[in-house]
Amino acid sequence: MVLRQDASSRATTGRPSRPLPHRGAVAVTAAVAASAIAGVLAASHITQPFCTFGGRSIAGGTRALRQATAQGENSPAARVVRAALTNVAGSQLEALSKITTLSIDTGDLDVIKAYAATGLISDATTNPLFVSQAGLSGDPRYVAFVDEAVAYAKANGDGLALEDRINLAMDRLAVNLGKEIVGLVPGYISTEVDIRESFDVETSVARARRIIAMYEELGVPRDRVLIKLAATWEGISAARILEKEGITCNLTLVFGFAQAVACAQAGVRLISPFPGRILDWHKNNGGNPTYEPAEDPGVVTVQRIYRYYKKYGHEGTICMPASWRPSRGAGYDTDEPIALAGVDRMTLPPPMLEKLASSKEPLPRVLSPDAAVAACEDSEICDGAMTEKDFRMLMNADVCATTKLAEGINAFVSETAKLRAALLTKL
């Protein structure tokens, strides 16, 4: 498959009106896989391609992947999780799961499965560090993902320049990871467009369409997939186009109110604000060394977004905070999520989930739709129609958002460069 746009994929008529299912969301990105893949590529030797491409039968490596997957059932990590979750009744984790859809923030497939089995965690997200750790463990599942992606690019990249074949392999790898996790949770798969395209609308849209086509080839319908894009103006503009085609999107690296409002006005399905990193910026730029949770700048930002969404009819855009810090310092790891209890969704790392599971302290609801409307103090931004000029001026005035967005993009570009270099040796 090559990167192309046909008449049906260019359709931009009305955003589909379908209810948001209460089901999981899994984030899988090329950047997420980068360090992991760099580790396993060295040990990965392709003697034959893996699957069937374009009607050509190519030796079946999917058997090896199924066997490797089965081996993870009794991994040490999975056993530890099951032991930690033997008595969650009446815990803060149970209480939080009743008012907020919870996601686990890890790339360990076995841990995802163990938490999903509790019924308290319905979503999963991942990041470069976690998948790197899984990949470097020598897990044969990750080797299989790499082998198949490289084989796919070789089989489908005839006539493409080398860089385009590498990009094809990266997209396929992201889809392979997502396809594996789709069997672990019942909900969305978030798969990220190459972070290096964060300032290119046309290429972001084209790469997103290709990712969706790959999923559909593998039997995963598009309504299970969220396309993940950085919340730049160009990323938001790409999402606006994709949403109108029925390709739902997850806008990440949200650090400021303007980003959140622009995403909602574009009809984006989900955003991921990062309260912990917002707190980091304030602590490092004249803020207090610690805060009471309700006064934590990251908590305040997410609460403001949530309330604005409820007041101005943006219920179709999910607010799912990620990336946490202890508001009051060491020993208070769960401060931020507890202060945001009741937000639409949130994604939490296993150590934080374990802390919540072990605590029987009360966990009151902080956010609710009805109360949010009354608590919102903002007027409607830009009369509900933010322009590019408006966005850039608002971002220019928000030094925290501008700085952290740049840092986040640069970090993922670095991880993508590692992945590119590793795949280059195979293509």
Side-chain angles (χ1 to χ4, degrees):
M1 184 178 68
V2 297
L3 195 62
R4 64 180 183 269
Q5 300 176 3
D6 57 27
S8 62
S9 69
R10 288 193 298 267
T12 56
T13 58
R15 183 186 183 204
S17 176
R18 62 176 182 273
L20 175 68
H22 183 82
R23 55 187 187 181
V26 183
V28 179
T29 74
V32 161
S35 297
I37 302 316
V40 298
L41 272 169
S44 172
H45 302 287
I46 297 176
T47 56
Q48 301 179 77
F50 264 73
C51 291
T52 300
F53 302 121
R56 291 176 287 168
S57 179
I58 311 177
T62 52
R63 285 194 305 274
L65 179 55
R66 286 196 297 269
Q67 292 167 357
T69 299
Q71 293 171 4
E73 295 283 340
N74 293 307
S75 71
R79 290 197 299 269
V80 168
V81 168
R82 287 195 293 268
L85 297 176
T86 55
N87 184 26
V88 296
S91 68
Q92 287 187 325
L93 180 61
E94 183 184 56
L96 186 58
S97 71
K98 292 178 178 179
I99 55 177
T100 290
T101 301
L102 298 180
S103 166
I104 182 171
D105 196 8
T106 181
D108 189 315
L109 298 172
D110 305 319
V111 173
I112 292 172
K113 185 171 183 178
Y115 267 99
T118 69
L120 303 180
I121 305 297
S122 58
D123 301 5
T125 59
T126 188
N127 69 35
L129 173 62
F130 298 137
V131 179
S132 174
Q133 292 169 339
L136 293 174
S137 72
D139 189 324
R141 289 170 293 185
Y142 292 87
V143 176
F145 294 150
V146 174
D147 288 354
E148 198 280 341
V150 171
Y152 183 91
K154 287 182 175 180
N156 292 274
D158 292 344
L160 294 180
L162 176 60
E163 201 64 37
D164 292 330
R165 289 200 303 276
I166 295 172
N167 291 341
L168 179 59
M170 287 195 293
D171 287 351
R172 182 67 174 193
L173 177 56
V175 171
N176 286 344
L177 291 167
K179 177 63 167 61
E180 177 70 8
I181 298 177
V182 74
L184 303 181
V185 296
Y188 287 123
I189 309 300
S190 283
T191 298
E192 189 163 345
V193 168
D194 190 333
I195 195 71
R196 297 171 299 174
E197 308 302 342
S198 294
F199 301 100
D200 186 326
V201 176
E202 182 178 356
T203 304
S204 291
V205 169
R207 294 281 288 270
R209 289 168 176 157
R210 181 166 74 183
I211 287 168
I212 291 294
M214 286 183 186
Y215 269 118
E216 292 179 335
E217 288 173 359
L218 295 174
V220 179
R222 67 176 54 195
D223 65 4
R224 292 289 309 276
V225 181
L226 290 171
I227 291 295
K228 197 172 184 183
L229 299 155
T232 59
W233 178 257
E234 292 79 7
I236 296 167
S237 298
R240 186 189 299 272
I241 294 169
L242 294 167
E243 291 280 355
K244 290 177 179 178
E245 298 176 7
I247 299 174
T248 50
C249 299
N250 172 357
L251 272 288
T252 189
L253 299 176
V254 174
F255 302 100
F257 188 63
Q259 290 173 287
V261 172
C263 287
Q265 291 180 357
V268 167
R269 178 56 55 92
L270 183 148
I271 67 163
S272 294
F274 290 2
R277 298 192 196 182
I278 295 170
L279 174 61
D280 287 344
W281 186 89
H282 282 272
K283 289 170 64 175
N284 293 328
N285 289 273
N288 299 333
T290 62
Y291 290 85
E292 287 301 310
E295 298 172 354
D296 177 325
V299 169
V300 170
T301 297
V302 175
Q303 289 183 344
R304 184 185 180 194
I305 293 167
Y306 176 85
R307 289 166 177 159
Y308 185 91
Y309 280 10
K310 304 312 176 190
K311 182 173 181 177
Y312 292 103
H314 297 303
E315 293 89 348
T317 299
I318 300 164
C319 182
M320 187 184 78
S323 183
W324 310 91
R325 303 290 187 270
S327 306
R328 292 174 289 176
Y332 295 95
D333 295 345
T334 59
D335 274 353
E336 288 185 333
I338 290 175
L340 292 169
V343 72
D344 301 325
R345 299 185 181 217
M346 61 175 68
T347 183
L348 303 165
M352 189 172 291
L353 290 168
E354 290 169 21
K355 286 182 181 294
L356 291 166
S358 66
S359 175
K360 305 295 185 178
E361 293 294 318
L363 191 148
R365 182 167 194 153
V366 178
L367 297 175
S368 64
D370 291 341
V373 172
C376 179
E377 298 178 351
D378 288 288
S379 301
E380 190 166 23
I381 304 301
C382 302
D383 295 323
M386 189 182 298
T387 66
E388 179 178 356
K389 177 182 176 181
D390 295 329
F391 179 83
R392 297 199 186 283
M393 288 300 295
L394 290 167
M395 286 293 287
N396 185 66
D398 189 340
V399 180
C400 171
T402 300
T403 302
K404 299 307 287 185
L405 176 59
E407 288 179 1
I409 290 173
N410 288 338
F412 282 115
V413 166
S414 177
E415 294 300 325
T416 302
K418 295 176 188 177
L419 176 58
R420 180 200 171 278
L423 289 173
L424 179 63
T425 67
K426 295 291 183 181
L427 291 168

